[in-house]
């Protein structure tokens, strides 16, 4: 055997409580009428092909004929639709007598073997012994011995030691993240790579960007045309001012003080002197 190579053991040699099975094709259509067909699939490692169920399937008989046969069989024991089904493996001796051998439960299409009472008790005892052992080890770490005083308890020393170890763990976890220079350097390299090799833009987003650019260009052209028209109007008005009516100069707006008001531009010569008739 090659070193480091693991050989997959069959289900009879390994713990069946660690094994599960499911069939993705029939998981969605499980019901009390189809769950036995689902469990009796040949790929199911929990199914024994040398059983009465397989004989009935080959002969295309109903499950009612199991009561008249002798040997290993599988029956539907409990149903809690739509998620839980319990199937029992038993050895039938007569139509009224059968010895249970194992129970299997199906939850959400996954088939598991139900543990027996001995396995449950062993697991609970092992968990209890493990917790008791860890408690005794922690209690013994607080005990101190001195030739003059004998055995004493010292809880402060262990607490300080734990605090120091926690600080060291926190410092090491912080150091694992890298220095500021390393972080900034990595960010700079990532930004440079993104700039050189930009990610591909989806076609929908590319079309939206092109439409937005076209709309912006059209708006800019309309604004330029409107501005050019306004500039031409102002230039034409400045080049050709409108003449005043009858040589009258328009009056200026009055000053805030109300003085220096201008009058119309009429002839400002003094009136002719009147001659006295003799």
């Amino acid at each position: 055997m090659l070193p480091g190579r693991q050989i997959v053991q069959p289900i009879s040699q390994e713990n069946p409580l660690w094994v599960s099975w499911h069939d993705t094709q029939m998981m969605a259509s499980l019901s009390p009428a189809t769950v036995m067909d689902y469990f009796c699939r040949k790929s199911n490692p929990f199914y024994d092909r040398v059983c009465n169920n397989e004989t009935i399937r080959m002969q295309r008989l109903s499950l009612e004929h199991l009561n008249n046969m002798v040997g290993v069989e599988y029956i539907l024991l409990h149903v809690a639709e739509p998620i839980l089904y319990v199937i029992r493996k038993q050895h039938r001796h007569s139509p009224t007598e059968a010895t249970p051998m194992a129970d299997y439960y199906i939850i959400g299409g996954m088939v598991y073997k139900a543990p027996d009472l001995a396995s449950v008790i062993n697991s609970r005892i092992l968990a209890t012994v493990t917790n008791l052992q860890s408690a005794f080890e922690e209690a013994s770490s607080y005990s101190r011995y001195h030739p003059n005083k004998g055995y004493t308890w010292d809880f402060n020393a262990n607490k300080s030691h734990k605090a120091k170890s926690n600080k060291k763990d926190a410092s090491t976890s912080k150091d694992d993240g890298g220095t500021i220079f390393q972080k900034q350097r990595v960010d700079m390299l990532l930004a440079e790579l993104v700039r050189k090799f930009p990610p591909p833009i989806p076609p929908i987003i590319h079309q939206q960007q092109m439409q937005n650019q076209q709309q912006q260009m059209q708006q800019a052209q309309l604004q330029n045309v409107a501005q050019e028209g306004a500039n031409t109007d102002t230039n034409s008005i400045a080049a050709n001012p409108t003449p005043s009516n009858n040589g009258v100069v328009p009056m200026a707006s009055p000053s805030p003080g109300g003085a220096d008001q201008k009058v119309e531009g009429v002839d400002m010569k003094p009136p002719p002197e009147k001659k006295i008739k003799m």
Side-chain angles (χ1 to χ4, degrees), residues 14-77:
E14 65 181 7
N15 191 355
L17 298 177
W18 301 344
V19 181
S20 63
W21 176 84
H22 69 281
D23 189 353
T24 56
Q25 296 179 356
M26 296 182 62
M27 286 176 64
S29 61
L30 280 181
S31 65
T34 60
V35 66
M36 290 303 299
D37 294 334
Y38 179 76
F39 184 84
C40 294
R41 304 277 291 181
K42 293 182 179 181
S43 58
N44 185 5
F46 302 111
Y47 178 65
D48 188 4
R49 298 182 184 178
V50 186
C51 63
N52 297 336
N53 297 71
E54 188 68 19
T55 304
I56 288 176
R57 290 183 63 189
M58 291 171 55
Q59 296 178 1
R60 296 182 180 179
L61 300 176
S62 62
L63 295 176
E64 297 176 355
H65 291 79
L66 290 174
N67 297 328
N68 301 325
M69 302 177 69
V70 177
V72 179
E73 64 182 15
Y74 295 90
I75 61 171
L76 182 60
L77 183 65

Side-chain angles (χ1 to χ4, degrees), residues 69-164:
M69 302 177 69
V70 177
V72 179
E73 64 182 15
Y74 295 90
I75 61 171
L76 182 60
L77 183 65
H78 179 71
V79 177
E81 291 188 89
I83 191 171
L84 177 63
Y85 302 92
V86 179
I87 296 175
R88 171 167 289 180
K89 179 182 180 181
Q90 61 184 10
H91 189 280
R92 180 168 294 280
H93 305 283
S94 65
T96 59
E97 183 182 359
T99 303
M101 299 176 62
D103 289 338
Y104 305 93
Y105 60 94
I106 304 174
I107 296 180
M110 300 291 294
V111 182
Y112 305 92
K113 182 178 180 181
D116 53 359
L117 184 60
S119 300
V120 174
I121 293 174
N122 289 334
S123 177
R124 298 294 176 87
I125 291 175
L126 180 60
T128 304
V129 170
T130 302
N131 294 331
L132 287 174
Q133 184 178 0
S134 62
F136 282 125
E137 290 177 356
E138 186 175 359
S140 63
S141 64
Y142 293 106
S143 64
R144 300 291 182 270
Y145 176 76
H146 194 271
N148 296 331
K149 298 180 181 179
Y151 286 98
T152 57
W153 298 100
D154 188 4
F155 298 98
N156 296 327
N158 201 354
K159 287 182 179 179
S160 61
H161 179 70
K162 286 185 177 180
K164 290 181 181 178

Side-chain angles (χ1 to χ4, degrees), residues 139-273:
S140 63
S141 64
Y142 293 106
S143 64
R144 300 291 182 270
Y145 176 76
H146 194 271
N148 296 331
K149 298 180 181 179
Y151 286 98
T152 57
W153 298 100
D154 188 4
F155 298 98
N156 296 327
N158 201 354
K159 287 182 179 179
S160 61
H161 179 70
K162 286 185 177 180
K164 290 181 181 178
S165 63
N166 291 333
K167 288 182 180 179
K168 289 182 180 179
D169 294 339
S171 61
T172 53
S173 63
K174 289 181 180 179
D175 294 338
D176 292 342
T179 61
I180 298 176
F181 173 75
Q182 292 175 348
K183 293 179 181 179
Q184 292 179 353
R185 183 69 177 172
V186 170
D187 294 340
M188 184 177 67
L189 292 175
L190 292 175
E192 186 70 18
L193 290 173
V194 171
R195 187 180 63 81
K196 288 183 179 180
F197 305 101
I201 302 174
I204 297 175
I205 298 177
H206 183 67
Q207 292 178 0
Q208 292 179 356
Q209 291 180 354
M210 293 295 294
Q211 292 177 359
N212 294 334
Q213 290 180 0
Q214 291 178 359
Q215 291 178 0
Q216 291 177 359
M217 291 176 63
Q218 292 177 359
Q219 291 178 358
Q221 291 178 358
L222 292 175
Q223 291 178 358
N224 293 332
V225 170
Q227 189 174 3
E228 289 178 358
N231 293 334
T232 53
D233 293 340
T234 53
N235 293 332
S236 61
I237 292 171
N240 300 319
T242 55
S244 59
N245 296 328
N246 299 325
V248 179
V249 179
M251 295 177 63
S253 60
S255 60
D260 298 336
Q261 296 183 356
K262 293 183 180 179
V263 296
E264 295 180 357
V266 297
D267 193 3
M268 299 302 292
K269 293 180 180 181
E273 295 182 356

